Amino acid sequence: MMWPPTKFILAAVAAASHTGAVTQITNDEMQRILSQGGMELADRYAPMWFFGRALNQSPCYPTWAFGGSPTTNDVYDSNHKTPAAAQCEYPDVGCGCRNPGVPLNNMAPAFPIYYAFKRCNDNEVRVAYNLFYEKDGAKVIGVIDTGHDYDWERVIIIHSRDGNNMWAPSRALLSSHSGYHNLAWGDIQNTLTTEEIQAGHANDPNGVRNNDHPKVYISWSKHAHFDTRNTGWVDPISQSTDNAFRSNDWWHYVGQNYYILSDNSTDAGKALGSVDWGSATSNPPYVQETICTAEKS
């Protein structure tokens, strides 16, 4: 009898040990969750968010769009709109805006998810996780402006129904420089189980695919989203490309009490869609309206 070489057996075992099993929900569960506002679905497959520091400079950190804080709610009128932060000289990308505010290698503080969802057809539901910043980028040599006032970025998770009438996430769209990284769920490099999230795990384990919670790394300067780290490029031009610096110096998993439904049916969505965010035009109600074709826009 011919036996396969040992190295191939070990490789197969290693591959299997680095693949999780995403949980599924029944069609009845999906109907119930959507009828109750979708928050349970958003939380069940939500990202773990990571932030990095480069060149001894902290990044801008997600915050509230209408003057809220970890202990106070947004007030949805134009008088409470969060002011934009001014651009500073590169590499000071985090001047004048909210920073993580805790030492490196720690869980960062709370921030809100302005979420929205839509059932695109009988077999697809999409959930958008929108993050708000007071600005992005910086000035270079005092003349070139690589950023702008305000920034809205997002992850969209696509849920699909299979032939057995069961639902599970099938793809993730990670916003990046006016487009998306479009990833099959099983191709996301790092994921966590709900049990690992509840136990406070973040950086470890790595390299495990197809669990319920993707690790999303937010780039240091312009807040593009990636499923991988990259710490090799710190020049200003690279920050507007897929070489953008992103790391895992801080992390945060957003609790349900910081999810804000932000489509046009809510006070939050109406307010977010009624004010001028400058170049950051992809506000949550706009994203919700176009969510079913987001990757094609």
Side-chain angles (χ1 to χ4, degrees):
M1 178 181 291
M2 293 286 293
W3 294 96
T6 301
K7 65 180 180 180
F8 293 126
I9 295 174
L10 293 176
V13 171
S17 67
H18 286 78
T19 302
V22 66
T23 59
Q24 296 180 301
I25 59 177
T26 67
N27 192 57
D28 286 345
E29 284 181 285
M30 179 63 82
Q31 300 276 24
R32 175 187 61 78
I33 290 168
L34 297 184
S35 71
Q36 295 174 351
M39 184 185 297
E40 183 181 338
L41 181 66
D43 179 58
R44 188 175 293 203
Y45 302 101
M48 173 70 82
W49 309 90
F50 289 88
F51 306 85
R53 181 183 183 186
L55 299 174
N56 294 317
Q57 301 292 331
S58 293
C60 287
Y61 189 72
T63 192
W64 280 257
F66 282 93
S69 75
T71 57
T72 59
N73 294 328
D74 276 335
V75 178
Y76 297 119
D77 63 55
S78 58
N79 292 329
H80 289 86
K81 178 186 172 187
T82 298
Q87 303 289 312
C88 294
E89 192 72 24
Y90 190 88
D92 190 4
V93 301
C95 71
C97 59
R98 188 189 189 200
N99 302 139
V102 295
L104 299 178
N105 302 313
N106 275 286
M107 183 175 71
F111 60 85
I113 298 288
Y114 294 92
Y115 83 102
F117 67 93
K118 183 178 280 189
R119 185 159 191 165
C120 297
N121 56 53
D122 287 346
N123 297 313
E124 184 175 288
V125 172
R126 297 190 175 198
V127 179
Y129 303 75
N130 299 283
L131 275 58
F132 171 75
Y133 303 84
E134 293 140 293
K135 66 170 180 179
D136 84 345
K139 293 180 179 179
V140 181
I141 320 175
V143 178
I144 303 170
D145 192 347
T146 68
H148 51 75
D149 289 353
Y150 298 119
D151 195 25
W152 284 104
E153 300 291 345
R154 75 216 63 85
V155 168
I156 296 173
I157 293 180
I158 302 172
H159 301 265
S160 298
R161 181 166 64 163
D162 66 17
N164 295 317
N165 221 23
M166 300 293 290
W167 290 85
S170 58
R171 304 195 73 82
L173 307 179
L174 313 184
S175 68
S176 178
H177 312 305
S178 301
Y180 289 94
H181 296 120
N182 186 344
L183 302 172
W185 196 260
D187 291 339
I188 298 170
Q189 187 178 90
N190 302 294
T191 63
L192 296 166
T193 66
T194 297
E195 291 73 22
E196 287 165 341
I197 295 282
Q198 292 171 344
H201 296 179
N203 283 309
D204 295 314
N206 273 322
V208 181
R209 301 174 186 242
N210 211 44
N211 279 320
D212 289 353
H213 300 278
K215 295 186 181 186
V216 172
Y217 300 89
I218 298 174
S219 65
W220 162 69
S221 175
K222 294 183 67 63
H223 316 137
H225 292 144
F226 299 86
D227 71 321
T228 59
R229 292 184 299 143
N230 186 338
T231 59
W233 302 84
V234 293
D235 63 284
I237 293 175
S238 292
Q239 306 320 306
S240 296
T241 74
D242 284 352
N243 288 329
F245 183 99
R246 62 264 188 188
S247 189
N248 57 342
D249 295 314
W250 299 278
W251 56 89
H252 191 78
Y253 185 82
V254 177
Q256 286 192 22
N257 52 322
Y258 293 111
Y259 276 74
I260 302 169
L261 184 58
S262 300
D263 60 30
N264 279 317
S265 71
T266 67
D267 290 343
K270 292 173 185 175
L272 291 164
S274 68
V275 298
D276 183 6
W277 302 108
S279 299
T281 55
S282 295
N283 60 67
Y286 172 82
V287 169
Q288 197 264 351
E289 287 296 321
T290 58
I291 195 171
C292 294
T293 57
E295 66 272 40
K296 299 174 184 177
S297 59

